Amino acid sequence: MRLPRTRPRSLAGQLFAMQVVLIAAVVAGCAVFAYVSGSAQAEQTATRQVRAAAVAVADSPSVREAIRTPDPSAVLQPYAEQVRRDTGIAFVTIMDTERRRWTHPDASLIGETFLGHTEEALRGETFTETYTGTLGPSIRVVTPVRDGDRIIGLVSAGITVDRVSSQVREQLGALALAAGGALALGGLGTYVINARLRRHTHGMNAAELSRLHDYHQATLHAVREGLLMLDGQRRIALINDAGRELLGIAPEAEALGRTVDELALPAPLTGALLASEARVDELHLTADRVVVVNTRPVVGGERRGTVVTLRDHTELQALTGELDSERGFTQALRSQAHEAANRLHTVVSLIELGRVEEAVEFATAELELAQVLTDRVVGAVEEPVLAALLLGKAAQANERGVELELAEDSLIDDGALPDSLAQRDLVTILGNLIDNAVDAASEGDAVVAVPAQRTAAQGGAGRARVTVTALADDRELLLRVSDTGPGIEPEEADEVFRRGWSTHGAGRGLGLALVRQAAHRNGGSVELDRAPEGGARFTVRLPLGDRTADARAKEVTA
């Protein structure tokens, strides 16, 4: 039968056991030290006590007078017993220089020889010794009784070792009680601390905590979704690699401990990170990316911080824009097919009516009108993506009654744009600028916040028009889009690039923000001013590098 595998003790349990053993060892060590020091102190106290008694008796004048009498014991015995009772010592023995006792607690032993050493006292010294006499082992002091320079007797005062030991035992009982209280108090405190630790570690042992930390670190570096944890003071407590990348924090920069305000993020994104309420799938822009932000406060009796997740929405947003463009192309083609059918019916009807020359003239005019823009675009813009985009947007604009024309100075040779310049960014920049220009030209106030007065050149008459300039030289690509709309007031120039700025209602206002982001991502700039026609004019400049130097480098390499 296979026995179940026992789970190692939790970290809190291990620490509790170690702390109890440590406290017990400390208390036991302190108790032993106190016992040893107490025993030595009790012995020293007893020695001082009997020494004081012996010296006091030896220095007493009445003792010297009694020694001179024929029967010293008659006076000295009551006196010695009185001193013994008053001081609480075991005996006070007064003897002659021949060690014959004049006093003793046991009167029957008076006159017998004193048991102990007296040589040092006879030399005039006071000394201490432990000796076994008639009362058992005792700590005794022997001192001389002087009459001038002559030693006429000796005094020995002592206390039994048993009495000293009994005093130590009394102290040891109090010490044991104090040690037990300290052990109990220490154990209780350790239990309370470890119970709190057990709650915080969720009952896991050291190996499990170490493994959890390893998994935690591996997960932070492996997950591609940005993770950011803020403490209660809105300081960064944790951030993974993806979070650094999405927020534009350099890998070598120190992020932990910094507040959100110090990250120099756009104001809407900073507000979302600092919000006290949860945020769900909010779309925000950084300098280079579109991110989806989710936040959730961490609460437990008080605010402890915020958990933030970040998802990169840049590619998806670009694909959405391309899908919208494709949908617009499809609608334009459907409209053109419908319009072509109408025109074909017109031609057929003219032929059936016998008006062949008029039918040929009508068909030729329509073909020439369609071919002019195509020839102009294909001849000036040899970059296929931009050429296709311009033709598609021209068809869309025509369906809305807006004429899209290419400026005479437009010129982009084939291969003029480097591979480092993403075609998707070109579509984002030019496509959104044309869409906004068409909106402005066709609806007047679709893009602006406060409609401006039309110029006299517009006069309110003539067809709405959008003019596109696309020009590339050796160093930069210039994309300029102007319209005949009402224009943008100067005070609104900085706000048009902010996400959500639009007069089209909720869910709009992202196009121009994406234009600025794409330009910034490629090291370029976006400028806004008033077009000669009175509408808005957006100019995007993207650096291309020194194309001549690059070509020369390629030739040298080849």
Side-chain angles (χ1 to χ4, degrees), residues 371-526:
Q371 192 65 31
V372 168
L373 180 61
T374 301
D375 293 341
R376 177 77 186 100
V377 170
V378 173
V381 181
E382 297 183 12
E383 180 65 33
V385 173
L386 291 181
L389 177 65
L390 287 170
L391 292 175
K393 292 298 183 182
Q396 290 179 331
N398 186 61
E399 290 300 320
R400 298 182 59 181
V402 178
E403 179 185 355
L404 190 147
E405 65 177 15
L406 189 65
E408 293 295 332
D409 58 345
S410 296
L411 179 62
I412 299 179
D413 294 330
D414 188 17
L417 303 183
D419 296 336
S420 59
L421 183 58
Q423 295 180 346
R424 180 172 294 172
D425 287 342
L426 293 177
V427 172
T428 297
I429 293 172
L430 192 55
N432 281 290
L433 290 180
I434 293 176
D435 287 342
N436 280 276
V438 171
D439 287 342
S442 62
E443 300 178 11
D445 61 347
V447 176
V448 297
V450 180
Q453 198 71 19
R454 287 185 179 270
T455 62
Q458 286 177 273
R463 190 178 185 186
R465 186 173 66 258
V466 172
T467 304
V468 178
T469 302
L471 178 62
D473 57 20
D474 290 339
R475 295 189 176 276
E476 73 173 10
L477 169 65
L478 181 143
L479 299 175
R480 178 177 290 135
V481 179
S482 60
D483 59 70
T484 58
I488 298 176
E489 294 297 330
E491 59 270 18
E492 301 290 342
D494 293 333
E495 288 294 315
V496 296
F497 296 104
R498 178 176 56 83
R499 178 186 174 270
W501 189 95
S502 176
T503 58
H504 285 77
R508 301 294 299 274
L510 186 60
L512 292 178
L514 292 176
V515 169
R516 185 173 65 175
Q517 186 185 76
H520 180 273
R521 186 161 50 242
N522 291 277
S525 62
V526 183

Side-chain angles (χ1 to χ4, degrees), residues 57 139 326 522 547:
V57 170
I139 299 172
E326 294 296 336
N522 291 277
R547 306 289 295 170

Side-chain angles (χ1 to χ4, degrees), residues 277-340:
E277 70 279 359
R279 301 294 181 92
V280 179
D281 290 340
E282 285 193 359
L283 202 64
H284 289 274
L285 298 180
T286 65
D288 300 317
R289 296 180 180 274
V290 180
V291 295
V292 178
V293 178
N294 285 274
T295 68
R296 181 174 293 276
V298 180
V299 292
E302 60 181 9
R303 182 179 177 86
R304 297 182 180 177
T306 305
V307 177
V308 181
T309 60
L310 307 168
R311 297 198 308 273
D312 192 355
H313 201 65
T314 308
E315 297 295 327
L316 181 59
Q317 189 64 42
L319 291 174
T320 302
E322 292 182 9
L323 180 60
D324 291 339
S325 297
E326 294 296 336
R327 186 180 295 113
F329 294 158
T330 302
Q331 294 174 354
L333 290 174
R334 186 181 298 113
S335 299
Q336 285 185 337
H338 184 268
E339 186 65 21

Side-chain angles (χ1 to χ4, degrees), residues 335-377:
S335 299
Q336 285 185 337
H338 184 268
E339 186 65 21
N342 291 336
R343 292 168 181 170
L344 181 59
H345 287 313
T346 301
V347 173
V348 171
S349 298
L350 289 173
I351 293 175
E352 289 177 348
L353 292 174
R355 306 178 73 170
V356 177
E357 293 182 2
E358 295 182 13
V360 172
E361 183 179 348
F362 178 80
T364 302
E366 290 297 325
L367 287 174
E368 289 178 354
L369 182 63
Q371 192 65 31
V372 168
L373 180 61
T374 301
D375 293 341
R376 177 77 186 100
V377 170

